Amino acid sequence: QVQLVESGGGLVQPGGSLRLSCALSGTIFSIYNMGWYRRAPGKQRELIATISRGGSTNYADPVKGRFAISRDNAENTVYLQMNSLKPEDTAVYYCNIDPLRWDYWGQGTQVTVSS
């Protein structure tokens, strides 16, 4: 059974940093391109960062230059380092494969940026 478990969210002040982690189990992590998605209140889910099997990364414009995605294939884990956080980054953050080919999702991790 595929499982995705996100962690590392929390409440942070504007300008602060957080590091999210996501562990994928039940399948072979290293064969997938991975992505971080987020759903802000009242908005649709968006893909904000991707990392290929080989480590190439891409970012959506709202997070470019502030967020960094990385992966550890030995630990079956993908990370998202978030710096210079803004209130508009407030959302539930999820990881998943990219492109999406299944309906498995984790519980997500809440990130709230507020003073």
Side-chain angles (χ1 to χ4, degrees):
Q1 180 74 10
V2 171
Q3 282 192 315
L4 295 142
V5 180
E6 300 91 350
S7 61
L11 173 63
V12 63
Q13 292 186 341
S17 298
L18 283 174
R19 189 191 194 209
L20 307 184
S21 301
C22 173
L24 172 63
S25 62
T27 186
I28 303 173
F29 175 82
S30 61
I31 69 172
Y32 294 106
N33 301 328
M34 296 296 297
W36 279 97
Y37 303 75
R38 70 184 182 187
R39 177 176 278 138
K43 295 186 178 181
Q44 290 191 332
R45 185 181 62 217
E46 60 176 335
L47 176 62
I48 58 169
T50 62
I51 185 165
S52 71
R53 292 172 294 177
S56 297
T57 59
N58 278 290
Y59 301 92
D61 286 343
V63 306
K64 199 171 294 183
R66 300 187 298 121
F67 290 10
I69 187 172
S70 59
R71 67 189 295 161
D72 184 337
N73 288 342
E75 296 293 328
N76 296 340
T77 299
V78 61
Y79 303 96
L80 187 67
Q81 178 66 43
M82 306 188 296
N83 299 324
S84 302
L85 282 161
K86 304 175 181 180
E88 51 263 43
D89 295 318
T90 295
V92 181
Y93 285 72
Y94 306 86
C95 78
N96 216 318
I97 60 174
D98 172 57
L100 291 170
R101 294 174 183 160
W102 57 37
D103 290 330
Y104 300 113
W105 286 94
Q107 80 289 349
T109 187
Q110 175 70 48
V111 172
T112 302
V113 185
S114 175
S115 55

